[in-house]
Amino acid sequence: MAKKKDAEKAAQNDENNKQEKTEGAEDEEPNFSDPEDYVDNISDEDLLGDILKNRPQETDGVESVIVVDGIPIVSTERFEKLRNVVSKLFSKVGEIVNECYPKTPDGNTKGYVFIEYANPGHAAEAVTLLNNHKLDRLHTFSVNLFTDFRKYEEIPDEWEPPAPQPYTDMGNLHYYLLEPDAYDQYSTVMNRGGTVQIWLNSAPEPIKLVEKERWTETYVKWSPMGTYFTTIHLAGVCLWGGPDFVRKMKFAHPGVQFIDFSPSEKYIVTYSPTFDGPGEPKNLIIWDIRTGQEKRSFFLNCQMMWPFIRWSHDDKYFARSDEDMLSVYETPSFGLLNKKSFKIPGIRDFSWSPADNILAYWMAEDKDVPARVTLIEIPSRSEIRSKNLFNVADCRMHWQKSGDYLCVKVDRYSKIRKDKNEIKYSGMYFNFEIFHMQEKQIPVDSVEVKESIHAFAWEPVGSKFAIIHGDQPNICVSFYGVKTGQTPALLKKLEKKCCNHLFWSPTGQYIVLADLRSSSGVLEFVDTADFNVMAQQEHFQASDVEWDPTGRYVVTVCSFWKAKVDTGYSVWSFQGKILKRFNSGAFCQLLWRPRPASLLSIKEQKEIKKNLKKYSAQFESKDRMRSSRASKELVEKRRTLMNEFNAYRDKCREKWQEQKPRRLQLRNNVDTDEIETDTKNVDEEVIEFFIKEETTIID
């Protein structure tokens, strides 16, 4: 009995001890420390990668800050004057939020200033435009982004040469010029951009060379000399070339929408209207085509028409304009020419000569200062000709392809009435100022037109130009000839024409007058040798007209981007004869592959044209052989189709004979196959029905 009591007492004590331990554990704080031998092999990027991408950076908030060195060191008395000069200069780029001029204990400036803009784009623009700006004879600004100092600090002390890159054979990119029959190529975009094809314009039928699905996101483009085929993608631009159209180069530029090539195909320009990414803000990038390297970038907010930067004919220079400023850059350094931009108050537009390093620009009127067209020579920057213009509303510059002439179309106000301090304008008339670039001192002739101008175009090879003028229904097309030492003369006026666009043949002489704004799509093919209208045609809802590089064919396109029905293209001869029609749903674009300039001199080309009969015999022989071969191919094709039809008919007859017992069984052994209908004894039934009733009242 005593042992039993002791056991119960021991059990009670154990229960009490367990309860005390549990209560003590609840009162004690938990320990979350890792053991001493624990090794953490998981990085923060693996755990919080998405969050860490958005963590604040050391440079956040200073992307809009620039540092300007070369500021004059002045005392307190002259500080306000210095501050006004610097602020006025840098505020032209954008809104200035803050300025900081470090000073010595004596109150003198230290020779540099911190300037903060409202956005990073203006800061980058200030570096581009005002770096190396010469304030006076002793002070030249050195402008840098504040964030660049971090980049310069990380430059290693020891220079390591870049590793040599392996040579990549680009293949024969000009294989298409070796085509024995000189057939040209053209590209088409179909199915709302889903299908891209490249064709060889062979006779009698074109040959499809390449077809790819989803080859481009928007549109395609050939390089100026036809070496590369360009496709546009969400991530950037791709260049294709060679007989198999293999990708030769790609340029990463997210959101790119516009591209442009330099005339010699050394560089390509890509532009994205929006910038969304880390690093220095930039939406326009210039790339080296052969190496794929980024050569220069800008952050532009241009109001001008594309392209925002424009190239000289030899790729040595390119230029862009900003408010009251024209900047010319040289290659391959891609730096400002003479480290300084042109300050041109009121500049509106500019254009390069297609044959010389001459740049033309015009500036608008400002109070009592007239508008002005100026020609400058690059790189000397010397002014070689200028022309003052009055009562100017707008100007458009048109260079003749060989650079022999420049036409400036001037829109002028015809009447000016001053009412107290306000000047009022009414009425418009138009002038064509013709600059003779190859003559001494560059004389200028004027052609005045009192009617509205709808289109202007120079003859590519020759010295004629055409204009469309007048108002409906009296639209006229006038042709003028320009000769050395003479004012432009009216050669021919075609009256009451339905057109609003002019398309000259690449070889000159022939022109197409087209109506592309209305749905009629009227086309007129004109030979300007005698101004004879060779043909009048129509292409319903035509949106584009494209000459092939040789001037033998014209293509008219009805694009899905303009119309939703009857899309496709038609091929015409240069005389206006229809050669082929192709209709396809959601057809978008057709572009001929360009050819580089001929290696023959002008004298050699004239000699060939003079002795054309000497060479025409062999080409006529080829045409006869091709025609004969085409006829044989057509006959053979028809014979094959006839044989296939006869074989199919014999097969059907055998089947018909095999099924005859079954037909007799189903028709009670009546052979209905042998029944002939006697149409002579068939009763005729006459049916009459009321059409209309007419009532005539007789007096």
Side-chain angles (χ1 to χ4, degrees):
M1 199 62 186
K3 290 181 179 180
K4 184 178 180 181
K5 289 183 179 180
D6 292 340
E8 292 177 355
K9 187 176 181 180
Q12 184 66 32
N13 292 335
D14 292 340
E15 185 66 25
N16 293 336
N17 291 335
K18 288 181 180 181
Q19 187 175 357
E20 291 177 359
K21 289 181 179 180
T22 303
E23 293 176 354
E26 292 178 355
D27 296 337
E28 184 180 352
E29 294 183 359
N31 183 12
F32 294 102
S33 301
D34 295 328
E36 295 181 359
D37 57 346
Y38 175 76
V39 178
D40 187 2
N41 56 1
I42 302 177
S43 63
D44 293 340
E45 285 73 13
D46 294 335
L47 291 174
L48 305 170
D50 296 338
I51 299 176
L52 290 177
K53 290 180 181 178
N54 301 324
R55 62 184 173 184
Q57 302 291 330
E58 183 179 353
T59 57
D60 285 353
V62 295
E63 297 90 347
S64 303
V65 179
I66 62 173
V67 183
V68 184
D69 291 293
I71 299 293
I73 299 176
V74 299
S75 60
T76 306
E77 293 77 12
R78 301 178 58 191
F79 173 72
E80 285 301 324
K81 183 177 181 180
L82 171 66
R83 183 175 181 176
N84 292 335
V85 171
V86 174
S87 298
K88 183 178 179 181
L89 180 62
F90 282 86
S91 61
K92 293 180 179 180
V93 179
E95 179 186 356
I96 296 178
V97 177
N98 194 13
E99 295 175 319
C100 179
Y101 289 81
K103 297 182 180 180
T104 64
D106 299 334
N108 298 332
T109 58
K110 291 186 176 182
Y112 58 91
V113 60
F114 299 92
I115 299 177
E116 182 181 1
Y117 283 98
N119 62 67
H122 291 158
E125 190 74 7
V127 173
T128 302
L129 296 177
L130 297 174
N131 187 35
N132 296 318
H133 176 79
K134 200 169 185 179
L135 182 64
D136 54 35
R137 186 171 58 87
L138 300 177
H139 299 89
T140 301
F141 292 159
S142 177
V143 185
N144 294 279
L145 291 172
F146 186 84
T147 54
D148 285 344
F149 287 92
R150 177 75 176 272
K151 179 177 66 176
Y152 297 142
E153 288 177 355
E154 295 176 353
I155 297 177
D157 296 333
E158 296 183 2
W159 178 77
E160 294 183 2
Q165 299 295 322
Y167 172 73
T168 303
D169 185 9
M170 301 291 285
N172 184 7
L173 298 178
H174 299 92
Y175 73 97
Y176 60 97
L177 299 176
L178 302 177
E179 167 62 37
D181 293 320
Y183 293 139
D184 287 291
Q185 297 179 9
Y186 61 88
S187 64
T188 59
V189 180
M190 308 168 63
N191 299 332
R192 302 186 183 184
T195 304
V196 178
Q197 300 172 339
I198 297 178
W199 296 80
L200 182 69
N201 189 36
S202 57
E205 293 293 331
I207 299 174
K208 186 190 300 182
L209 302 178
V210 180
E211 180 177 4
K212 292 186 179 181
E213 301 292 332
R214 307 305 304 171
W215 201 0
T216 182
E217 301 290 342
T218 52
Y219 61 96
V220 299
K221 185 174 183 178
W222 294 98
S223 59
M225 295 189 291
T227 306
Y228 302 101
F229 184 66
T230 314
T231 56
I232 317 298
H233 307 270
L234 296 177
V237 175
C238 290
L239 301 186
W240 311 78
D244 299 326
F245 287 90
V246 179
R247 190 175 69 186
K248 301 299 181 181
M249 192 62 65
K250 62 179 180 179
F251 308 97
H253 191 176
V256 60
Q257 294 187 14
F258 299 96
I259 61 172
D260 185 42
F261 286 88
S262 62
S264 299
E265 297 184 344
K266 294 181 181 178
Y267 309 102
I268 183 174
V269 182
T270 60
Y271 175 73
S272 174
T274 58
F275 171 80
D276 184 15
E280 179 183 353
K282 54 187 177 183
N283 54 11
L284 186 142
I285 305 176
I286 305 175
W287 309 84
D288 188 302
I289 289 180
R290 294 184 179 180
T291 63
Q293 294 180 347
E294 179 182 326
K295 306 301 291 186
R296 182 83 192 234
S297 62
F298 300 93
F299 186 83
L300 301 181
N301 186 15
C302 293
Q303 303 298 325
M304 296 178 58
M305 294 181 61
W306 175 260
F308 301 141
I309 68 170
R310 301 170 189 178
W311 296 87
S312 63
H313 75 288
D314 54 4
D315 289 6
K316 289 185 177 179
Y317 308 96
F318 66 92
R320 68 182 187 91
S321 68
D322 205 343
E323 185 177 357
D324 298 337
M325 196 169 295
L326 177 64
S327 302
V328 180
Y329 301 81
E330 55 186 345
T331 60
S333 66
F334 287 84
L336 269 173
L337 180 64
N338 298 333
K339 300 181 179 180
K340 188 176 182 180
S341 299
F342 295 86
K343 187 174 182 181
I344 307 174
I347 183 172
R348 293 294 181 85
D349 197 9
F350 70 95
S351 179
W352 287 94
S353 166
D356 302 289
N357 288 331
I358 296 177
L359 196 149
Y361 66 87
W362 80 277
M363 48 193 296
E365 291 184 84
D366 184 15
K367 298 180 181 178
D368 296 331
V369 179
R372 191 180 187 190
V373 176
T374 305
L375 303 176
I376 57 175
E377 195 274 335
I378 301 297
S380 66
R381 300 161 64 114
S382 58
E383 182 178 311
I384 59 177
R385 189 67 165 91
S386 64
K387 172 79 173 180
N388 290 336
L389 304 170
F390 298 90
N391 307 332
V392 175
D394 193 16
C395 286
R396 289 289 184 271
M397 292 179 286
H398 305 273
W399 285 93
Q400 195 249 6
K401 186 177 179 180
S402 62
D404 295 337
Y405 304 100
L406 167 64
C407 175
V408 181
K409 173 182 169 289
V410 186
D411 300 355
R412 298 177 183 264
Y413 298 108
S414 58
K415 296 181 181 179
I416 303 178
R417 181 168 57 87
K418 294 186 177 180
D419 184 9
K420 295 182 180 180
N421 296 328
E422 184 180 1
I423 301 177
K424 296 183 178 180
Y425 302 93
S426 62
M428 296 286 293
Y429 72 100
F430 306 90
N431 268 73
F432 294 96
E433 305 290 340
I434 311 297
F435 291 73
H436 298 250
M437 301 301 298
Q438 302 301 325
E439 298 183 34
K440 189 176 181 180
Q441 296 182 349
I442 311 181
V444 182
D445 292 323
S446 296
V447 176
E448 184 175 311
V449 180
K450 295 292 186 180
E451 299 173 306
S452 301
I453 304 298
H454 304 284
F456 173 95
W458 280 104
E459 183 182 18
V461 180
S463 57
K464 295 191 288 287
F465 66 86
I467 60 173
I468 301 177
H469 57 92
D471 298 312
Q472 291 287 359
N474 297 318
I475 298 294
C476 301
V477 181
S478 297
F479 296 88
Y480 289 82
V482 183
K483 294 184 179 180
T484 303
Q486 300 180 11
T487 58
L490 178 63
L491 302 178
K492 185 68 175 180
K493 183 178 181 180
L494 305 178
E495 298 182 348
K496 294 186 177 181
K497 295 296 179 182
C498 181
C499 61
N500 47 46
H501 284 75
L502 301 166
F503 298 95
W504 283 96
S505 166
T507 57
Q509 184 176 342
Y510 303 102
I511 189 173
V512 176
L513 316 179
D515 179 17
L516 301 184
R517 292 180 185 172
S518 65
S519 60
S520 63
V522 176
L523 307 169
E524 290 195 52
F525 297 78
V526 181
D527 182 358
T528 60
D530 54 4
F531 298 100
N532 176 42
V533 178
M534 299 180 292
Q536 293 183 343
Q537 302 285 358
E538 288 187 4
H539 186 172
F540 181 67
Q541 291 189 334
S543 58
D544 301 283
V545 176
E546 296 281 346
W547 282 89
D548 81 312
T550 62
R552 294 178 293 178
Y553 306 102
V554 183
V555 172
T556 57
V557 178
C558 177
S559 174
F560 178 77
W561 296 333
K562 175 186 176 182
K564 305 306 178 185
V565 296
D566 296 333
T567 59
Y569 66 90
S570 299
V571 183
W572 315 80
S573 70
F574 69 96
Q575 296 173 322
K577 180 181 178 182
I578 184 65
L579 302 178
K580 178 181 175 62
R581 293 187 188 274
F582 178 84
N583 293 325
S584 174
F587 183 89
C588 298
Q589 183 184 25
L590 184 146
L591 293 176
W592 289 97
R593 185 170 195 169
R595 287 176 172 266
S598 175
L599 298 178
L600 299 176
S601 64
I602 297 178
K603 183 178 179 181
E604 291 173 328
Q605 295 179 32
K606 289 183 178 179
E607 187 68 22
I608 292 174
K609 291 180 180 180
K610 183 179 179 181
N611 301 318
L612 190 59
K613 292 183 179 180
K614 175 182 175 182
Y615 305 100
S616 61
Q618 55 179 322
F619 296 112
E620 290 175 357
S621 176
K622 280 188 175 182
D623 289 341
R624 286 194 296 269
M625 292 176 61
R626 189 181 298 113
S627 177
S628 176
R629 184 169 63 250
S631 299
K632 291 180 180 179
E633 291 176 357
L634 182 60
V635 170
E636 187 64 29
K637 183 178 180 180
R638 290 179 177 176
R639 183 181 290 112
T640 302
L641 292 174
M642 190 65 185
N643 293 337
E644 291 177 356
F645 171 75
N646 289 334
Y648 176 74
R649 185 175 62 178
D650 293 340
K651 183 179 178 180
C652 291
R653 280 180 175 177
E654 292 177 1
K655 188 175 181 180
W656 181 69
Q657 290 293 342
E658 292 175 357
Q659 294 176 348
K660 187 170 184 177
R662 179 60 176 165
R663 288 199 301 274
L664 292 173
Q665 181 183 357
L666 294 173
R667 298 170 185 174
N668 298 325
N669 293 321
V670 177
D671 190 0
T672 58
D673 299 334
E674 303 299 332
I675 296 178
E676 295 183 1
T677 304
D678 186 4
T679 58
K680 295 181 181 180
N681 298 326
V682 175
D683 295 335
E684 294 183 358
E685 182 181 1
V686 179
I687 300 175
E688 296 181 356
F689 56 91
F690 180 78
I691 298 177
K692 67 178 180 178
E693 179 182 358
E694 293 183 357
T695 303
T696 303
I697 301 175
I698 301 175
D699 295 335

